Amino acid sequence: MASTDKPEVENVAAAPEKGAVPPAAPPPELKSETNTPTSYLAVAEVVLRVLLFATTVTAVVVMVTSKQTEWIPDRLPPFRIRNSSRFTDSPAFVYFVAALSVAGLYSIISTLLSILALLKPGNWKHLVSHFVVIDVLLLGIVASATGVAGGVAYIGLKGNSHSRWLKICNIYDTFCAHVASATAVALVASIVLVLLILLSVFTLSRRSLK
Amino acid sequence: MASTDKPEVENVAAAPEKGAVPPAAPPPELKSETNTPTSYLAVAEVVLRVLLFATTVTAVVVMVTSKQTEWIPDRLPPFRIRNSSRFTDSPAFVYFVAALSVAGLYSIISTLLSILALLKPGNWKHLVSHFVVIDVLLLGIVASATGVAGGVAYIGLKGNSHSRWLKICNIYDTFCAHVASATAVALVASIVLVLLILLSVFTLSRRSLK
């Protein structure tokens, strides 16, 4: 679409074979930058990366601040002990915080570089196009972290009578609310990563059709 | 490969704009078909899709056949009750089986279409290039299923003293071995999906550079 005013990429590559090199011909990569749909895609990428940053940081903060201290019944009924529940009690939640922190740090770097690529196309654009590889790896990590936190949170919420694991969310209600919220926000982060990958694939396939 | 006898759709569409159709010029897309690296990529895709089928089916079969029946101590020590553990006891494992079954069914369809695309390039090739969208979605689903099964299996293996969830793998050893194996195989399936997405991205970027 709207590509009748510019030479094809293949034609530019084929031009030197004819002998005379046209000096005024701008690089094909730069031209596609000034095309409006491609700019929209670059803006959409920046927006999605900002959203990724917001969701991952929110998930980490909500999970880390989930500590709750409660009086719980001891083995002998009249006595009670003061016990607290925090995310470090479960390796699943520690993995969750680690995975989402990595995704958050990556989202800061990738957002800044995406903005640079939007303002100064060229080499930055080429660098940003490689982010899809890290996006795919992070999708696997963030999705598995969401799954593991959701799975453990579900046992905490409902228990498991077959394994005689009692639910703990009737005691640690605030803790469970924090964990559930963090898992939901991490699910949004996973969806944002899926959208980022599909955006990259769409950009690449648009460029390959030109 | 073996597609030199038919013209490409894009070239047929672009040809009338130039007026005179050069009969000797081979279509550029067709060139890449006969180019060996692209054929290698198509073969690699088929191999990876077959591997995806093998891993997902293995994970589902190993998880479904994990039932184990044991005598476990009742609340009063001298008495024992006969109890069995199977994957339907935990919603996490049910989700695991559902997710991996979907991935397995998809892998059958996509393998067959990939082989068709390898034998008869053209429209099939175009269809197969869209599979990357489903691959990305399935990566999220399979990775989260792997995470949730691993998280619950870890509680079964080690227990969680903070939540007073006792480990069950000392009783249901075969069940736990099955769950651990299925999770490990599902992890391989996730990695295969990552490789499939990266292969699609690589193919697209190679085509866009031409």
Side-chain angles (χ1 to χ4, degrees), chain A residues 4 9-11 13 29 72-75 81 83-85 88-92 126 129 132-134 136-137 139-141 143-148 150-152 154-156 159-160 162-168 172 193-194 197-198 200-202 204-205 207-210, chain B residues 10 17-18 28-29 72-75 81 83-85 88-92 126 129 132-134 136-137 139-141 143-148 150-152 154-156 159-160 162-168 172 193-195 197-198 200-202 204-205 207-210:
Chain A
T4 49
V9 178
E10 285 161 39
N11 289 324
E29 184 88 62
I72 59 166
D74 205 358
R75 285 165 205 272
I81 53 169
N83 206 348
S84 65
S85 192
T88 48
D89 290 350
S90 167
H126 190 66
S129 68
V132 64
V133 176
I134 310 176
V136 172
L137 293 176
L139 170 63
I141 293 170
S144 65
T146 308
V148 75
V152 175
Y154 190 83
I155 295 176
N160 190 319
H162 304 282
S163 309
R164 293 186 188 165
W165 294 336
L166 298 175
K167 59 182 171 186
I168 58 163
Y172 301 109
L193 275 169
V194 166
I197 297 168
L198 294 184
S200 296
V201 168
F202 180 66
L204 275 174
S205 65
R207 211 178 291 166
S208 72
L209 284 176
K210 273 182 186 167
Chain B
E10 279 168 43
E17 291 179 18
K18 292 170 187 169
E29 185 85 67
I72 59 166
D74 205 357
R75 288 169 202 269
I81 52 169
N83 205 348
S84 66
S85 191
T88 48
D89 290 350
S90 168
H126 189 66
S129 69
V132 63
V133 176
I134 309 175
V136 173
L137 294 176
L139 171 62
I141 292 169
S144 65
T146 309
V148 76
V152 175
Y154 190 84
I155 296 176
N160 190 320
H162 304 281
S163 308
R164 291 183 188 167
W165 295 336
L166 298 175
K167 60 182 170 186
I168 58 162
Y172 300 108
L193 275 169
V194 167
L195 292 177
I197 297 168
L198 294 184
S200 296
V201 168
F202 180 66
L204 275 173
S205 64
R207 213 179 289 165
S208 71
L209 286 175
K210 272 181 183 169

Side-chain angles (χ1 to χ4, degrees), chain B residues 4 30 32 49 58 61 65 76 79 85 102 107 122 124 139-140 149 158 161 167 174 179 204:
Chain B
T4 50
L30 214 66
S32 69
R49 292 203 182 276
T58 307
V61 168
T65 57
L76 286 170
F79 300 104
S85 191
V102 168
S107 70
W124 291 113
L139 171 62
K158 297 277 183 180
S161 58
K167 60 182 170 186
T174 317
V179 169
L204 275 173

Side-chain angles (χ1 to χ4, degrees), chain B residues 37 67 104-105 119 167 191:
Chain B
K67 187 182 176 186
L105 279 175
L119 299 178
K167 60 182 170 186
I191 294 170

Side-chain angles (χ1 to χ4, degrees), chain B residues 6-7 21 30 51 59 86 89 91 112 114 117-119 131 137 143 145 147 164 167-168 173 176 182 187 190 193 198:
Chain B
K6 65 194 253 328
V21 182
L30 214 66
L51 201 58
R86 58 177 83 86
D89 290 350
L112 293 178
S114 300
L118 191 65
L119 299 178
F131 279 169
L137 294 176
R164 291 183 188 167
K167 60 182 170 186
I168 58 162
D173 52 347
C176 279
L187 183 62
S190 304
L193 275 169
L198 294 184

